[in-house]
């Protein structure tokens, strides 16, 4: 089993920042929109096909339904914005201020709610998740 842990270290009115570790080793830092965070707890992560990103993405399975059928592939502009519905994923991004989809972005913390080098951090994490899926291992996320 791949066990991913996110420790929230700073909660402000608009941003929640923390770090992500696997097996006790810190992999990257995280940022979330405080008003749309998923609650602390333990969740399963599924690798699901995402229409917006055009690839499989790590979806955090919560008790709230996600509506993939409402999403459409963005044809213009960046895919790194907000999804049109609740869809908590671990993903690439530089800021969380307009995100209302419950997503967690990864990278290197610049200031509250703002990350740098998000693509590198996401690629590193994505490869770990992809290997776990190929090995048919369960993937578990604990948020503290």
């Amino acid at each position: 089993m791949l066990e991913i842990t996110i420790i929230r270290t700073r909660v402000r009115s608009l941003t929640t920042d923390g770090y992500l570790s696997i097996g006790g080793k810190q992999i990257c830092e995280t940022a979330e929109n405080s008003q749309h965070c998923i609650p602390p707890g333990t969740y399963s992560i599924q690798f699901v096909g995402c229409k917006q990103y055009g690839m499989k993405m790590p979806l955090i399975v919560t008790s709230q339904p996600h509506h993939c059928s409402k999403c459409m592939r963005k044809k213009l502009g960046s895919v790194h914005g907000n999804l049109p519905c609740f869809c908590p994923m671990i993903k690439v991004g530089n800021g969380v201020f307009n995100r209302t989809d419950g997503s967690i972005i990864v990278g290197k913390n610049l200031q509250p709610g703002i990350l740098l080098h998000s693509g590198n951090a996401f690629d590193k994490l994505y490869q770990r998740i992809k290997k776990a899926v190929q090995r048919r291992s369960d993937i578990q996320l604990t948020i503290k």
Side-chain angles (χ1 to χ4, degrees):
M1 174 182 292
L2 179 63
E3 295 181 11
I4 301 170
T5 304
I6 293 177
I7 305 290
R8 292 174 172 158
T9 57
R10 178 178 43 216
V11 178
R12 296 191 174 183
S13 61
L14 296 176
T15 63
T16 298
D17 301 293
Y19 65 89
L20 183 147
S21 62
I22 296 176
K25 181 180 177 190
Q26 184 173 330
I27 302 298
C28 58
E29 294 171 300
T30 63
E32 302 168 73
N33 182 317
S34 293
Q35 298 170 354
H36 300 280
C37 288
I38 58 175
T42 300
Y43 303 91
S44 142
I45 291 183
Q46 294 178 352
F47 224 29
V48 298
C50 177
K51 290 179 184 178
Q52 186 184 38
Y53 283 85
M55 60 187 270
K56 292 195 176 204
M57 291 291 288
L59 174 72
I60 302 165
V61 180
T62 66
S63 59
Q64 276 188 280
H66 56 89
H67 303 283
C68 293
S69 61
K70 291 183 182 178
C71 290
M72 297 188 325
R73 176 97 171 128
K74 283 195 173 180
K75 295 184 185 331
L76 301 172
S78 172
V79 296
H80 304 304
N82 192 29
L83 292 173
C85 57
F86 181 76
C87 190
M89 289 191 282
I90 298 174
K91 60 170 87 168
V92 174
N94 296 111
V96 297
F97 299 99
N98 293 323
R99 293 183 183 271
T100 59
D101 55 10
S103 59
I104 300 170
I105 61 172
V106 295
K108 173 129 180 72
N109 188 274
L110 175 64
Q111 64 185 35
I114 306 289
L115 300 177
L116 296 173
H117 310 297
S118 185
N120 292 339
F122 179 78
D123 289 345
K124 188 176 181 181
L125 180 60
Y126 189 88
Q127 291 307 316
R128 299 281 299 265
I129 293 171
K130 186 176 177 180
K131 284 181 185 174
V133 168
Q134 289 170 342
R135 293 180 185 140
R136 301 187 194 283
S137 295
D138 290 334
I139 306 164
Q140 178 177 296
L141 171 67
T142 301
I143 299 174
K144 298 179 182 181

